[in-house]
Amino acid sequence: MKSYAKLNIFLKITGTRGNYHEISSRFILYKSLFDKIYFEKSEFQHSGEDLNIISNIKINGENIINKAFKELLKTKFKDKISDFFKTHKMILEKNIPMGAGLGGGSSNAAAFLNLTNQTLNLNFSKKELIEISKNIGSDVAFFITEFESANVSGVGEIVENFNDDIPNLEVFTPSIFASTPEIYAKFRSDFIDNIDLNLAKKLKTLSTKEILKKYKNYELNDLLAPFQAINPNFKLKENEFFSGSGSSYFKIKGKI
């Protein structure tokens, strides 16, 4: 199963909810960049309490995919899921860079949930999988839907399909690892007075093409300013736009 990257065409902070930040954002799947996830029969039996993940990158035990697995074990299909993963391993071919604002980890967790649901015929609806994802990560719900474009709000759990007009985009990822919690903490401490609810509301109604034609990069992503405060050497050209909490950015390929 392909596990696609995402881009934030805009990302506006609309408030706070405890330690979380409420957002209004346009997420699109960036299908030119993806990881692959699939299951294979294991050579030996596992405990069924943790996933056996084989990957081209180093995976720690508390990764987001294992988190998704643990949430599935809380459901009525616990025994069926555990029995399957006693005899199967998960292969993760990683291409999406980490700490880049492209949602790679959340995409992997969602792909794991969708693939497990299909492979084991669990018959969870998308709505049920989104409910399971609430304890995993804020962007997972979007990837579960498999929408190509959506308006995402709340703390990431409200995902509304959007009939979009998306130009051809090109993505760049500098060698800067962005810590999402650090970027959000910087926003809360230094930039929270910049919240613009009216702009957030207006952007939801516009297509991606319209947004990128009409607005400047610093107007569209509230996390750009805190990211640049932490990484003062990071600069964007006028036709380049920041995704998520960074460090990736994108531009329109060719003429709009």
Side-chain angles (χ1 to χ4, degrees), residues 153-178:
S153 55
V155 292
E157 81 281 15
I158 303 169
V159 183
E160 300 166 296
N161 195 17
F162 188 82
N163 184 18
D164 209 346
D165 182 7
I166 303 170
N168 193 12
L169 301 174
E170 189 173 8
V171 175
F172 306 88
T173 303
S175 55
I176 303 170
F177 182 89

Side-chain angles (χ1 to χ4, degrees), residues 8-13 203 216-226 241-246 248:
N8 298 88
I9 302 305
F10 69 88
L11 195 164
K12 308 300 288 180
I13 312 297
L203 289 170
K216 306 291 186 186
N217 48 30
Y218 57 84
E219 296 176 293
L220 293 180
N221 192 329
D222 286 345
L223 299 182
L224 175 58
F241 300 89
F242 196 62
S243 184
S245 55
S248 292

Side-chain angles (χ1 to χ4, degrees), residues 5-6 11-12 27 41 45 89 93 107 150 167 187 203 224-226 245:
K6 62 87 179 160
L11 195 164
K12 308 300 288 180
F27 282 36
K41 193 87 172 169
Q45 186 157 319
K89 57 190 174 184
E93 295 178 7
S107 178
F187 175 86
L203 289 170
L224 175 58
S245 55

